[in-house]
């Protein structure tokens, strides 16, 4: 009888654990699908076992197409070897993967993306895979190109006017300065100011 009761308690505990796991997974998927970033999970060989809807939209793939090694087919030919080499390095040392690269979607559109992934380790410390995010930075890169082009304006004498430019993204409140704008403020080109920092340069 004692053994039977113990078995019943074990089954009840197992059922409770399974319910908790299922509830946790539902919450994760709900949060993931609401994320503005692409979310993914891979095994140690970079084969996807999960992608959220935003990830699929960025890469232009369905859920089925994104699983396994399907995502690698979208890598731009000029970036593919570099992405594979960096992923292999991160797999070998178990470090964070952080890289920008280009994606050639099935509809032929080109997107610039920033990928971040962290290693997932098993109980024995061995690498079991990666979880990460992908951000579409195409518009940001286009904005930076426009700012660089704006510095090429000529003044009335035909000389480069040295005009600085800036762009503010109202969706996430990020500010981008051109290199000339940075120089005007005695800062190194490439400086990324906050909106508050930029406003602080003005007299009250």
């Amino acid at each position: 009888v004692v053994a039977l009761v113990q078995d019943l308690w074990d089954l009840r505990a197992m059922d409770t654990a399974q319910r908790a796991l299922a509830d946790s997974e539902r919450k994760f998927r709900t949060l993931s699908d609401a994320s503005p970033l692409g979310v993914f999970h891979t095994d140690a060989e970079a084969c996807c076992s999960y992608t959220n809807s935003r990830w699929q939209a960025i890469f232009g793939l369905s859920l089925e197409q994104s699983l396994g090694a399907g995502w690698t087919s979208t890598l731009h030919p000029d970036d593919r070897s570099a992405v594979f080499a960096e992923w292999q390095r991160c797999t070998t040392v178990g470090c964070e993967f952080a890289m920008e690269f280009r994606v050639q979607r099935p509809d032929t559109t080109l997107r610039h993306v920033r990928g971040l992934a962290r290693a997932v380790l098993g109980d024995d410390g061995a690498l079991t895979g990666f979880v990460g995010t992908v951000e579409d930075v195409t518009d940001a890169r286009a904005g930076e190109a426009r700012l660089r082009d704006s510095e090429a304006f000529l003044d009335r004498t035909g000389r480069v006017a040295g005009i600085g430019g800036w762009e503010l993204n109202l969706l996430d409140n990020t500010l981008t300065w051109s290199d000339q704008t940075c120089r005007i403020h005695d800062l190194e080109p490439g400086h990324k100011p906050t909106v508050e920092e930029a406003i602080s340069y003005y007299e009250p």
Side-chain angles (χ1 to χ4, degrees):
V1 172
V2 171
L4 178 60
V5 171
Q6 183 62 51
D7 287 343
L8 290 174
W9 274 108
D10 291 344
L11 288 173
R12 183 176 181 181
M14 184 181 300
D15 181 65
T16 300
Q18 290 175 340
R19 289 175 181 271
L21 180 62
D23 183 60
S24 177
E25 183 174 352
R26 280 193 298 271
K27 290 178 180 178
F28 165 76
R29 290 183 180 276
T30 300
L31 177 62
S32 175
D33 285 336
S35 171
L37 299 175
V39 178
F40 66 93
H41 174 266
T42 76
D43 60 18
E45 284 70 42
C47 292
C48 278
S49 56
Y50 170 79
T51 60
N52 72 344
S53 55
R54 178 56 183 156
W55 187 103
Q56 296 155 29
I58 292 173
F59 281 76
L61 300 176
S62 66
L63 174 60
E64 292 73 18
Q65 292 171 328
S66 71
L67 301 181
W71 69 276
T72 62
S73 65
T74 65
L75 293 175
H76 191 281
D78 294 339
D79 295 349
R80 184 175 291 118
S81 60
V83 172
F84 286 158
E86 178 62 11
W87 189 277
Q88 183 60 47
R89 186 187 73 83
C90 294
T91 299
T92 301
V93 302
C95 66
E96 180 179 79
F97 174 88
M99 188 176 185
E100 286 193 18
F101 52 92
R102 290 168 294 175
V103 169
Q104 188 81 51
R105 301 197 297 192
D107 63 3
T108 73
T109 58
L110 185 69
R111 309 303 294 177
H112 291 255
V113 302
R114 179 188 296 121
L116 295 173
R118 289 189 176 181
V120 177
L121 305 179
D123 294 336
D124 59 355
L127 178 70
T128 62
F130 287 87
V131 291
T133 60
V134 173
E135 179 184 6
D136 188 338
V137 295
T138 305
D139 292 341
R141 294 295 163 266
E144 291 173 1
R146 289 194 298 272
L147 291 178
R148 287 193 298 270
D149 292 342
S150 72
E151 295 179 355
F153 290 142
L154 303 180
D155 63 17
R156 294 180 179 177
T157 65
R159 296 174 302 181
V160 175
I163 298 173
W166 56 267
E167 183 172 70
L168 177 63
N169 186 329
L170 296 178
L171 295 178
D172 57 12
N173 214 39
T174 57
L175 179 63
T176 302
W177 275 0
S178 68
D179 290 347
Q180 182 62 20
T181 300
C182 292
R183 296 187 189 98
I184 290 172
H185 291 81
D186 291 326
L187 297 169
E188 288 293 323
H191 179 70
K192 303 290 186 182
T194 63
V195 174
E196 291 74 17
E197 178 188 353
I199 293 176
S200 72
Y201 284 97
Y202 295 98
E203 291 294 335

